[in-house]
Amino acid sequence: GPAGALSPPAAASKWVRLNVGGTYFVSTRQTLCREPKSFLCRLCCQDGPELGSDKDETGAYLIDRDPTYFGPILNYLRHGKLIINKELAEEGVLEEAEFYNIASLVRLVKERIRDNENRTSQGPVKHVYRVLQCQEEELTQMVSTMSDGWKFEQLISIGSSYNYGNEDQAEFLCVVSRELNNSTNGIVKEPSEKAKV
């Protein structure tokens, strides 16, 4: 018969079996080669003699890595989204993304880790700001009687252009702020007590 009869049909060679730390994954060459510089692309697309020996008896590529974190890696190559189950540590996924040399995924996981650290450490503190208008003579009293939690931020002199009759009274805008401890989903809760003027 023709010489090429023994080579597997194209459909079969499109699929790749991976044996990651004893767990089997099946994917396509197209998926695995989505990141041209990645280890997975080198593994199955440049199947040179030096890599060819790393297969088990079923013909699956042997990869000595933790299969737990391989799922998110493979899914990222499939659809370009980073999806990590609650019980998986982001650091573990980062480790694998770096091993497989998938730069865009490494960036994503690092961002995710940063976001989580921000959230758990109560993140960037939200502040609510108020601007209070007062005259020069009221200033010290106002700052000293500000209610708890309010912090003096900034004083802006707005001159004495619009006071009535009393020429030397300077007008000020006083900016105060306070932290919002319990901001739910970024919704700013107005503190109930106003800064006393």
Side-chain angles (χ1 to χ4, degrees):
L6 289 174
S7 63
S13 62
K14 178 181 115 172
W15 289 95
V16 179
R17 277 165 70 82
L18 302 167
N19 177 345
V20 182
T23 303
Y24 285 101
F25 292 88
V26 177
S27 187
T28 64
R29 276 178 207 280
Q30 186 191 358
T31 294
L32 295 172
C33 294
R34 188 132 305 150
E35 289 273 334
K37 289 199 179 69
S38 78
F39 168 82
L40 294 166
C41 184
R42 289 210 321 275
L43 185 71
C44 63
C45 301
Q46 305 158 13
D47 197 4
E50 74 283 1
L51 284 169
S53 58
D54 287 343
K55 290 186 176 175
D56 68 8
E57 62 284 358
T58 70
Y61 291 97
L62 280 163
I63 304 176
D64 181 21
R65 299 299 287 185
D66 186 341
T68 319
Y69 298 106
F70 188 65
I73 306 281
L74 192 52
N75 281 329
Y76 173 74
L77 290 174
R78 283 170 175 150
H79 50 52
K81 293 196 189 72
L82 172 59
I83 298 171
I84 302 178
N85 292 344
K86 292 274 179 288
E87 62 277 6
L88 276 192
E90 268 99 358
E91 285 78 5
V93 178
L94 176 61
E95 193 58 47
E96 298 309 289
E98 285 177 339
F99 170 79
Y100 293 111
N101 192 26
I102 303 170
S104 54
L105 180 56
V106 169
R107 257 199 317 280
L108 272 176
V109 184
K110 281 183 172 162
E111 274 167 30
R112 175 81 58 94
I113 291 172
R114 242 201 334 274
D115 291 350
N116 287 353
E117 279 167 0
N118 284 347
R119 263 205 300 283
T120 49
S121 68
Q122 205 44 60
V125 182
K126 294 198 176 62
H127 287 87
V128 58
Y129 289 87
R130 280 233 164 68
V131 179
L132 311 160
Q133 190 174 337
C134 62
Q135 297 189 317
E136 197 171 12
E137 63 194 12
E138 305 165 330
L139 204 55
T140 45
Q141 184 210 349
M142 195 205 71
V143 172
S144 58
T145 58
M146 269 194 312
S147 38
D148 278 358
W150 287 95
K151 194 159 100 270
F152 175 73
E153 290 282 343
Q154 200 184 357
L155 191 63
I156 302 156
S157 166
I158 50 175
S160 48
S161 49
Y162 51 88
N163 54 30
Y164 307 97
N166 187 351
E167 279 314 310
D168 54 9
Q169 265 300 322
E171 291 267 322
F172 289 95
L173 291 181
C174 179
V175 182
V176 296
S177 76
R178 65 171 296 165
E179 282 185 19
L180 279 172
N181 308 329
N182 47 358
S183 52
T184 48
N185 313 329
I187 297 162
V188 172
K189 289 208 189 78
E190 280 286 290
S192 47
E193 80 276 24
K194 299 268 183 277
K196 301 188 187 70
V197 179

